Amino acid sequence: MAETTITTPLTLPCGVVLKNRLAKAAMTEGLADSMGVPTQGLVRLYQGWAEGGCGLLITGNVIVELDHLERPGNVVLAGALSDAAKAAFKAWTQAGTADGTHVWAQISHAGRQTQKLVNPRPKAPSAVKLGLPGGQFGEPQAMTQAEIEATITAYVDAARTCQTVGFTGVQIHAAHGYLLSAFLNPLANQREDDFGGTLANRARPLLEIVRRTRQAVGPGFAIGVKLNSSDFQKGGLTTEDSVTVATWLQDLGVDLLEVSGGNYEAPEMMGMEGLDPDAPRPTKSASTLAREAYFFEFARGLRAKVKMPIMLTGGLRTRAGMQAALDEGIDVIGIARPLTVDLRAALPLLNGTSDHLPAWEAQLQERPGLFGPKSPFKLIRTIQGFAGIYWYYGQFYRLGRGQDAAPALAPLKAMGEVMGLSKRWLAARRSNTYFSPV
Ligand SMILES: Cc1cc2nc3c(=O)[nH]c(=O)nc-3n(C[C@H](O)[C@H](O)[C@H](O)COP(=O)(O)O)c2cc1C
């Protein structure tokens, strides 16, 4: 049998064929208008990404409940869409599906990781506040069973709407500490009812959403899930638990399981350590080639336990590293940060003219100084960690406006831009007036 490489097509269990093994992983774009409707900025970004050659594009968080945004500027899919909104969604999916590309909406609810500015009392599995300095997040309230049921319905309705506006699949976000991930995390979920305690109970909302979504969208529409390999916190979701959840998801016919890890308290999805120095960290691979991928060892172990297609995301930058993952039976390579400044950065890799992707995170980390990302002061390091993310958002604003990206942008300046635009977006949202961040 011919060797699988990044250019080999992949047929998913639902019958969908991805034209190659590269996927743009989800990145929150912040480019919806104040009604949560996609703008021309999103169309521009996805045109570029579709031209960039990845077989699958997964959108950033698309939120299923308006008051549980992951950030101001999120696309929102809650309730029925107006004709104008439908047309805007269709323009977006049309851009993303050019040249046989698949585009899946990542459907999500931020839970206790909702910013205080958006909602000071977000709903969560339990009233357990995030353990982060800075007071950016509100006081979570434990959901009632009726609220959990309503949220499950909101996910399923959103998935069904995705199908009607031209997405070719959905990815249910159950990673990174957002609502479904928090249900899985015993530190965040201290419930004593049917949604807490045992792993089966903690996984219940996720499994119900997957089961009912399949009923709603039929057999030929792709359903993916993004799952933490671990929360990387003492007492959080363990790798053993994660494998068990993966086997349940396989039984429900999930088409692609994306493996990631961590949350806001332990940002291992970005390869970064959390505030607790004693927390478990991802196991580094013994293989030199595979070492760049943060969750490779977990994915390799999972491969032996499940047959469903696996997508591995986090740190993959070189053809050799990607090939090492494919050689171990990983099906899809997820890529996020390398595709921010140049939306078409995957093309040279796909056509064989380059062997690696740009690693912007290395450039951001290299800035020296007492107040830089390697500052001896923990608070400065935390602020710089967040500012490093805002740098990517700053690139999206520029690209969304049709401007050039700005690799020299200072992260703290980007942070100021994002905060200014977020406040204006929220003010417009509250007064029911129109505002577009691009
Ligand atoms: C700017 C930015 C926004 C992100 N937004 C999301 C998101 O909306 N949903 C998600 O699941 N992951 C999100 N991530 C995480 C990425 O999908 C990915 O897991 C992570 O960046 C590691 O992959 P990489 O090393 O290729 O960047 C985001 C990452 C970045 C840099």
Side-chain angles (χ1 to χ4, degrees), residues 26-28 61 106 173 176 226 269-270 315 317 336-337 392:
M27 282 184 282
T28 171
N61 279 285
Q106 183 185 62
H173 196 353
H176 302 174
K226 188 164 187 170
M269 63 290 218
M270 306 287 182
R317 300 292 177 264
R337 288 166 288 184
Y392 298 98

Side-chain angles (χ1 to χ4, degrees), residues 180-244:
L180 297 175
S181 165
F183 265 102
L184 288 166
N185 180 349
L187 297 170
N189 179 354
Q190 300 180 354
R191 302 180 71 95
E192 291 174 357
D193 61 3
D194 288 352
F195 298 96
T198 64
L199 183 60
N201 281 352
R202 288 183 279 126
R204 194 179 305 282
L206 168 63
L207 300 178
E208 273 303 298
I209 290 166
V210 173
R211 193 177 61 75
R212 295 190 210 173
T213 297
R214 178 57 79 203
Q215 281 171 357
V217 298
F221 189 73
I223 301 179
V225 171
K226 188 164 187 170
L227 185 70
N228 273 356
S229 51
S230 162
D231 288 327
F232 299 106
Q233 292 177 291
K234 277 182 289 174
L237 182 82
T238 63
T239 51
E240 293 76 23
D241 285 353
S242 178
V243 170
T244 306

Side-chain angles (χ1 to χ4, degrees), residues 268-271 282-283 291-296 314-315 317 337:
E268 296 287 357
M269 63 290 218
M270 306 287 182
T283 312
R291 205 166 295 157
E292 66 190 48
Y294 312 147
F295 309 112
F296 177 82
R317 300 292 177 264
R337 288 166 288 184

Side-chain angles (χ1 to χ4, degrees), residues 50-66:
E51 285 167 17
C54 291
L56 172 62
L57 309 178
I58 301 176
T59 72
N61 279 285
V62 168
I63 299 294
V64 303
E65 284 182 13
L66 186 54

Side-chain angles (χ1 to χ4, degrees), residues 19 24 40-54 57 92 94-99 101 339-347 350 399-400:
K19 66 182 176 183
K24 180 201 82 70
Q40 192 57 30
L42 275 170
V43 172
R44 283 208 184 91
L45 243 63
Y46 281 77
Q47 256 161 1
W49 276 322
E51 285 167 17
C54 291
L57 309 178
W92 183 25
Q94 206 173 352
T97 48
D99 198 24
T101 311
L339 303 180
T340 48
V341 171
D342 176 3
L343 304 175
R344 297 162 189 80
L347 268 185
L350 285 163
L399 295 166

